[in-house]
Amino acid sequence: MSIPSFRAQASTSDLGLVQQAIQLVQSSPPTWQSAIVTNMMIFIVGSPILASGLSLSGIGAAFLLGALTWRAFGPSGFLLVATYFVVGTAVTKVKMAQKEAQGVAEKRKGRRGPGSVIGSSAAGCICALLSIYGVGGKAFSRLWELGFVASFCTKLSDTVSSEIGKAFGRTTYLVTTFKVVPRGTEGAMSVEGTSAGLLASILLAYVSCLLGEINGLEAVICVVASQIANLGESVIGAAFQEKECFRWLNNDAVNVINVSMGSILALLMQQIVFQYLRI
């Protein structure tokens, strides 16, 4: 076989692989194979960004989350989670030196581990699995998508309010007593942090609308549910976290409770509001 002929065959083979990869990415509805292949390509290209916000084991957990999200909700769901990650990582890096000096910074320069990834996405993963396996049929598919969006609106709002509060909060109050406490105290809230968290929730809900994940009314529901859930999380942190008999209630466990509250509240509110409006 001549060299030009060999090169032509190799080029044709490469082109065929590229076309297969493109077809997998465009699979509708998404399959597990398309989800895994797409995530591999995205994670390879985006590895510098991922490494800035996640530990190596955290990247592994994020890969599983990404594959599950793509399989359940396709590119729109994946872009929603990507937006959550980029914004959350960015605010975690804000005034990192100041936070470290005050002892309130996240560990590993803000690079999250698998516990944080799993805890923050627990409710979203459950909603994704419920959607994949068609629990409740078509009547419930929209609910699982709403719960998915609400869980990430809740977590982004929590992350932003915490990080901005630690960086810029002038006065922080313990939510259960309104006593002034140092920045970074569990269950503490500030005007600056709370306002930023609200804006972050609105931003992610708006992005979800643009992506077609939810409609306008459902976006409002996600924002309201996220704020109620974050208030509840602050109460739990102030009342129970770091207490002797609640040593198991670490940040990852609180994250699971927080996102679960946001997701469940959104589902309940949707049913109540839509029943009232008879939509």
Side-chain angles (χ1 to χ4, degrees), residues 84 88 91 106 112 116-117 119-122 148-162 197 200-201 204 226 229-230 233 251-252 254-256 258-260 262-263:
Y84 155 79
V91 296
E106 291 291 327
R112 315 276 178 168
S116 178
V117 174
S120 300
S121 64
F148 178 83
V149 173
S151 71
F152 284 99
C153 284
T154 299
K155 187 53 199 164
L156 182 63
S157 179
D158 174 55
T159 299
V160 171
S161 62
S162 175
S201 180
L204 199 60
S226 70
N230 284 337
E233 187 250 11
N251 286 337
D252 295 336
V254 171
N255 282 338
V256 173
N258 182 32
V259 296
S260 297
S263 185

Side-chain angles (χ1 to χ4, degrees), residues 69-259:
T69 298
W70 191 285
R71 173 63 180 84
F73 305 115
S76 60
F78 188 92
L79 285 172
L80 174 70
V81 176
T83 303
Y84 155 79
F85 172 75
V86 170
V87 176
T89 299
V91 296
T92 301
K93 304 292 185 182
V94 172
K95 290 197 172 184
M96 178 59 73
Q98 173 189 300
K99 294 174 188 175
E100 288 178 328
Q102 295 174 345
V104 297
E106 291 291 327
K107 299 176 182 178
R108 301 182 295 267
K109 298 286 185 179
R111 295 169 69 234
R112 315 276 178 168
S116 178
V117 174
I118 295 169
S120 300
S121 64
C125 288
I126 291 173
C127 288
L129 287 169
L130 291 171
S131 177
I132 289 170
Y133 292 105
V135 177
K138 290 185 178 180
F140 280 77
S141 62
R142 187 75 179 182
L143 274 179
W144 307 142
E145 198 162 11
L146 172 65
F148 178 83
V149 173
S151 71
F152 284 99
C153 284
T154 299
K155 187 53 199 164
L156 182 63
S157 179
D158 174 55
T159 299
V160 171
S161 62
S162 175
E163 296 299 333
I164 295 300
K166 288 187 288 188
F168 300 104
R170 297 181 181 179
T171 307
T172 50
Y173 303 91
L174 198 63
V175 69
T176 51
T177 63
F178 293 103
K179 177 183 177 181
V180 177
V181 292
R183 293 177 184 176
T185 301
E186 295 296 344
M189 300 179 70
S190 67
V191 172
E192 295 82 0
T194 302
S195 300
L198 174 61
L199 290 176
S201 180
I202 293 172
L203 170 65
L204 199 60
Y206 177 67
V207 169
S208 299
C209 272
L210 294 180
L211 293 172
E213 291 279 298
I214 55 176
N215 59 36
L217 181 56
E218 289 170 334
V220 174
I221 289 173
C222 285
V223 172
V224 174
S226 70
Q227 300 312 295
I228 296 173
N230 284 337
L231 178 61
E233 187 250 11
S234 294
V235 171
I236 291 171
F240 304 110
Q241 204 169 359
E242 297 185 350
K243 300 297 190 294
E244 186 63 34
C245 55
F246 288 96
R247 290 293 181 185
W248 58 271
L249 196 63
N250 57 20
N251 286 337
D252 295 336
V254 171
N255 282 338
V256 173
I257 296 171
N258 182 32
V259 296

Side-chain angles (χ1 to χ4, degrees), residues 146 220-226 228 262-275:
L146 172 65
V220 174
I221 289 173
C222 285
V223 172
V224 174
S226 70
I228 296 173
S263 185
I264 293 170
L265 281 170
L267 297 182
L268 292 175
M269 290 171 62
Q270 193 259 22
Q271 290 297 288
I272 293 170
V273 171
F274 279 41
Q275 184 66 29

Side-chain angles (χ1 to χ4, degrees), residues 38-83:
T38 303
N39 268 262
M40 287 181 64
M41 293 190 295
I42 293 173
F43 271 56
I44 291 171
V45 174
S47 56
I49 297 174
L50 290 167
S52 70
L54 297 169
S55 66
L56 183 60
S57 54
I59 291 175
F63 181 85
L64 296 177
L65 169 61
L68 181 62
T69 298
W70 191 285
R71 173 63 180 84
F73 305 115
S76 60
F78 188 92
L79 285 172
L80 174 70
V81 176
T83 303

